[in-house]
Amino acid sequence: MAQISLDRLTGLIAFARAASLGSYTAAARAVGVSPSAVSKSVQRLEVHLGLKLFSRTTRSLTLTPEGRDLHQRALRLIQEAEAIEQAAVAARSEPAGMLKVTVPLPIGVHIVAPALPRFRERYPKLSVDLRLGDQFVDLIGEGVDVAIRVGDLKDSRLISRQLAPHSICAFAAPGYLARRGAPQRPEDLTKHECVNFRFQSSGQAFRWPFMRGERPLEFIPDAGIVTDNSDAVAAVIAAGGGIGITPSFVAAPYVRRGELVPLLSEFLRPRSSIMALWPESRRGSPNVKVFIAHLADVFASPTPWDAAVMQFADPS
């Protein structure tokens, strides 16, 4: 029986990751090697097979027709290899090894990262590779174990669990309110300085989502300052820049220190949830099981950040 060499197997893995992720750089990050190592592995594979697998430009990789066919076969190879690895992980009596987790930047900084030392105290043989960013991540293609995202993302290959409501509220600094007064209803915001958030992924400004009874009232404020980072929104309004909407987990430390005051809380309701997602192939993984259980404690209801905001919310 013909045997595949280790070099060719490495080339197939590098090719499959690069094809799934669209670049040698992303593939290198997924497998933990340099981009040049991925590029050379793919080139050696092309020479061995006598096929051109990619049409290359300075900006992207595009699969050739031959590459598309081989990609599907290489993916099945990787999925089988991961199934073997996960079976071995599931057979272990205690969590160990590396857990890859991807989280949006603000949730990672404010919630997940501070909770990791306690997690590792309990499971010292389990290391965590925490990746922060809002960009789309192919969990299966990049070998990610757990993702935390806002909203219920539909993917039949993923298992999901709701962690907590994604609560938002309007806030302003006490000094600003002393000068300008507090709005009593959403319509009053037209008389105020506003600070708004812009989504990095789309470039679109955030629509402020209020409710008047059962009727939604959404609008983009006439903002003097717009930023694409929720921490920056909180920093601007804490400095007296006006009224802004930001997640409660970002604003809670400011609220506890008396630097921000919640506003119009009765008109704002959670419109989405913070979710944990993991591939079906990780269902039996003890690493994933203990991390999901840890997240359930971290996001226990009511969350401390929501409790802090509601404690100081305006009663009107």
Side-chain angles (χ1 to χ4, degrees), residues 172-192:
Y176 174 85
L177 296 175
R179 297 193 310 271
R180 301 289 297 271
Q184 300 302 308
R185 55 181 187 166
E187 292 86 348
D188 294 342
L189 290 169
T190 58
K191 305 172 186 176
H192 286 268

Side-chain angles (χ1 to χ4, degrees), residues 2-271:
Q3 294 183 344
I4 186 170
S5 69
L6 182 60
D7 186 62
R8 270 178 276 164
L9 186 59
T10 301
L12 285 169
I13 294 172
F15 162 69
R17 293 299 193 205
S20 295
L21 302 175
S23 76
Y24 290 145
T25 300
R29 187 168 56 247
V31 299
V33 299
S34 67
S36 62
V38 173
S39 174
K40 290 176 182 177
S41 291
V42 173
Q43 289 172 11
R44 286 194 295 267
L45 180 65
E46 288 180 318
V47 170
H48 171 75
L49 298 175
L51 295 173
K52 185 178 181 181
L53 303 176
F54 289 118
S55 296
R56 298 168 177 82
T57 69
T58 56
R59 289 180 170 267
S60 64
L61 297 173
T62 303
L63 285 167
T64 63
E66 296 81 6
R68 281 194 295 271
D69 178 63
L70 186 61
H71 180 223
Q72 295 304 314
R73 296 171 184 268
L75 281 179
R76 289 195 292 270
L77 174 66
I78 289 180
Q79 288 166 1
E80 286 298 323
E82 288 191 343
I84 293 171
E85 181 180 2
Q86 291 306 312
V89 168
R92 291 200 301 257
S93 59
E94 65 177 319
M98 177 66 72
L99 183 76
K100 294 183 181 179
V101 182
T102 177
V103 188
L105 178 65
I107 296 177
V109 169
H110 290 276
I111 303 175
V112 177
L116 290 182
R118 180 161 54 93
F119 177 70
R120 291 211 65 247
E121 284 179 6
R122 188 171 182 183
Y123 304 104
K125 294 183 179 180
L126 182 55
S127 300
V128 180
D129 179 354
L130 182 63
R131 305 177 180 194
L132 304 182
D134 296 322
Q135 67 273 20
F136 172 79
V137 173
D138 180 357
L139 271 64
I140 296 173
E142 295 200 26
V144 172
D145 296 296
V146 178
I148 297 176
R149 289 290 179 262
V150 175
D152 189 8
L153 306 183
K154 301 297 184 181
D155 188 327
S156 60
R157 302 173 300 170
L158 301 178
I159 303 170
S160 65
R161 177 177 297 178
Q162 179 175 329
L163 297 174
H166 184 243
S167 302
I168 59 175
C169 192
F171 299 90
Y176 174 85
L177 296 175
R179 297 193 310 271
R180 301 289 297 271
Q184 300 302 308
R185 55 181 187 166
E187 292 86 348
D188 294 342
L189 290 169
T190 58
K191 305 172 186 176
H192 286 268
E193 294 291 329
C194 292
V195 181
N196 202 15
F197 173 80
R198 183 180 65 251
F199 294 97
Q200 292 183 5
S201 57
S202 65
Q204 298 295 312
F206 177 59
R207 296 182 65 86
W208 290 19
F210 294 100
M211 294 293 294
R212 294 285 278 165
E214 297 298 320
R215 180 172 60 90
L217 175 63
E218 293 191 358
F219 60 89
I220 298 176
D222 184 13
I225 299 175
V226 180
T227 177
D228 61 1
N229 182 280
S230 54
D231 282 282
V233 171
V236 171
I237 57 181
I243 297 174
I245 289 181
T246 199
S248 58
F249 61 80
V250 173
Y254 292 91
V255 173
R256 294 189 187 102
R257 295 191 297 264
E259 298 172 2
L260 284 180
V261 176
L263 304 168
L264 304 173
S265 59
E266 71 272 30
F267 298 103
L268 284 158
R269 300 289 183 270
R271 291 161 50 87

